Amino acid sequence: MRIALRIALAASAALLTLGVAQAQEKTLRIGTEGAYPPFNNLTSDGQLVGFDIDIAKALCDEMKVKCTFVAQDWDGIIPALQAGKFDAIVASMSITPERQEKVDFTHKYYNTPSAIAVPKDSPLKGVTKEDLAGKNIGVATTTTHFNYASKTYTDSTIKGYPSSPEEQADLANGRLDAIEDDIVVLQQWLDSPDGACCKILGQPSPQPVEIFGPGAGIAVRKGETDLVNKLNAAIDAIRANGKYKEINDKYFKFDVYGAES
């Protein structure tokens, strides 16, 4: 009886150890774009870097799970999530009602405004509908910026691009009169040699919540409430323990989180 009991206890202990090990080895697959610096970018040697990436790694550390990353073109990023290619999207995705019909979101992990950039020698003086009437405006498609530009600048020609670098190149090469994008993305480009051509003209106002949403959140498949809750708790934790500020200050000179919700 004692031998049988010892064997049973040993087997139970082994199963418990295995279960703990499996829990520790759980992997969260993160989808991101890799073409939206400084938030996410793919380096020449194939490494994903940026604010989104560092935030995702910090959240995975907080949740005690292993993190892997998958680069995915923006246009197909929600379908890829729905198809199970990855478990969550950390790619500066604005929380909007349209997207909430397809995915579930955490609360925001940052919120920065949009802006309009133009060539330094542009005659444009403002960013209203009237100011930009008859002009060619470049915007990345399937973004809140594209939705806003299409609805606001109805007297302008809105030209869609796969991602920010393409619209930036066309503005620099004189094929556009203006581009609209996140102010942080624009400022980083303007601070680089490639962006020496251009300047920020201004920020469109107002910036309606019904288009831009409350900020950028992490998207997961519909109904995965447990994962949303864990990610929300992790976001709150890194905001409280200083890790968020450490990552923020690596990339920005101000708090990109925005006003407290």
Side-chain angles (χ1 to χ4, degrees):
M1 287 293 292
R2 288 181 179 178
I3 293 174
L5 180 60
R6 286 175 182 172
I7 292 173
L9 289 172
S12 297
L15 287 172
L16 180 60
T17 301
L18 178 61
V20 170
Q22 287 175 337
Q24 290 174 338
E25 291 170 4
K26 178 175 173 56
T27 298
L28 188 66
R29 298 167 300 163
I30 305 291
T32 195
E33 183 187 13
Y36 197 59
F39 294 102
N40 58 77
N41 193 37
L42 198 60
T43 64
S44 58
D45 61 352
Q47 298 298 308
L48 282 163
V49 297
F51 177 79
D52 287 332
I53 310 306
D54 288 355
I55 287 291
K57 289 177 179 177
L59 297 178
C60 287
D61 287 344
E62 187 66 34
M63 295 188 295
K64 296 179 172 53
V65 297
K66 181 181 177 182
C67 229
T68 61
F69 292 90
V70 180
Q72 171 68 48
D73 289 343
W74 181 258
D75 288 354
I77 202 164
I78 286 180
L81 172 70
Q82 294 170 326
K85 187 174 180 180
F86 33 79
D87 305 305
I89 298 172
V90 185
S92 295
M93 180 172 284
S94 296
I95 303 165
T96 65
E98 180 184 8
R99 288 175 179 150
Q100 286 175 314
E101 293 176 1
K102 302 174 183 177
V103 297
D104 286 342
F105 279 101
T106 63
H107 56 57
K108 72 171 184 178
Y109 65 97
Y110 82 85
N111 189 16
T112 52
S114 70
I116 298 285
V118 298
K120 285 181 175 176
D121 60 359
S122 172
L124 292 169
K125 302 299 182 184
V127 297
T128 66
K129 175 182 176 180
E130 293 73 24
D131 291 324
L132 295 174
K135 304 302 181 182
N136 295 313
I137 305 174
V139 195
T141 56
T142 67
T143 65
T144 53
H145 302 290
F146 187 85
N147 294 342
Y148 178 78
S150 299
K151 292 180 180 180
T152 303
Y153 300 113
T154 53
D155 295 331
S156 306
T157 299
I158 308 301
K159 185 175 180 182
Y161 290 83
S163 62
S164 297
E166 287 89 348
E167 72 189 38
Q168 293 165 359
D170 269 8
L171 183 64
N173 292 327
R175 289 188 283 268
L176 292 169
D177 298 300
I179 60 176
E180 182 183 350
D181 211 330
D182 185 282
I183 193 170
V184 174
V185 172
L186 288 175
Q187 191 60 62
Q188 190 195 49
W189 173 60
L190 296 173
D191 289 341
S192 74
D194 290 340
C197 60
C198 303
K199 65 181 180 180
I200 288 178
L201 183 61
Q203 296 179 31
S205 181
Q207 303 211 355
V209 173
E210 62 269 21
I211 294 179
F212 288 106
I218 299 171
V220 304
R221 285 180 289 276
K222 294 291 285 184
E224 296 195 352
T225 307
D226 184 55
L227 180 55
V228 168
N229 291 339
K230 288 178 180 177
L231 286 165
N232 277 336
I235 292 169
D236 293 342
I238 66 171
R239 285 284 295 170
N241 66 21
K243 186 63 179 179
Y244 186 98
K245 185 178 188 305
E246 176 187 324
I247 296 169
N248 182 100
D249 294 353
K250 176 181 174 181
Y251 295 96
F252 312 113
K253 295 179 181 178
F254 58 93
D255 185 0
V256 295
Y257 189 79
E260 293 291 341
S261 302

